Amino acid sequence: MKRFSNKWLSKRLLVPIGALILTVAIGAYAFAATATAGSRATTEGTASSQSGAVSPDKDRCCPDGAARGSCGPGSRFGAHHGPGIRGMGSGALTDEQKAAMQERRQEREARMQVFLDELRAKMSPEDQAIFDGLRNTVQQQRAAVESAREQLHDTMGRLRALIDKYRGESSSATPTTTSS
């Protein structure tokens, strides 16, 4: 009987052992994340029950006072409350943030223009003509897309207004079905 070498054994066990380590690490992380939220809710509930006083927030576990069932990872997915992305409040941009975004956009466009000018300088005259033609086409297509976007926005606004007109009537009246 031929004996297996350690090299063969290490090659055969490397993938399963790696998978096992990865699975245990992910499980430990998940347990730590859920155990932290659970222990916070348990300690708050224990503190209020030990004091004997009934707290109006005894069914709350999140720092912002959200209900117990609405806390935890992913609970704010799609919600429009709380601090929002990057601390922007309800999601509305302030005038300062809009100005900063406009400034960054202008800086980015200026850098791109410098890059394209340097690149064009390295091109042959034939390639420069093709390059200029393509850039003009891009500008025309962008203008067409912007015009179409504005038209779509106007059309969607009119559609929403028409829907809201009839939605208000249908929400107050009860739907009736007729059979013939």
Side-chain angles (χ1 to χ4, degrees), residues 68-89:
R68 191 173 290 234
S70 66
C71 32
S75 64
R76 292 180 185 244
F77 181 75
H80 298 289
H81 64 281
I85 299 173
R86 296 189 194 122
M88 291 193 296

Side-chain angles (χ1 to χ4, degrees), residues 12-29:
R12 294 288 253 178
L13 293 178
L14 183 66
V15 172
I17 290 174
L20 179 66
I21 290 172
L22 184 62
T23 303
V24 169
I26 291 172
Y29 177 77

Side-chain angles (χ1 to χ4, degrees), residues 115-124 128-129 131-132:
F115 169 74
L116 292 175
D117 289 343
E118 291 173 358
L119 189 65
R120 187 180 182 281
K122 295 177 184 178
M123 292 180 181
S124 67
Q128 285 180 353
F131 181 76
D132 292 340

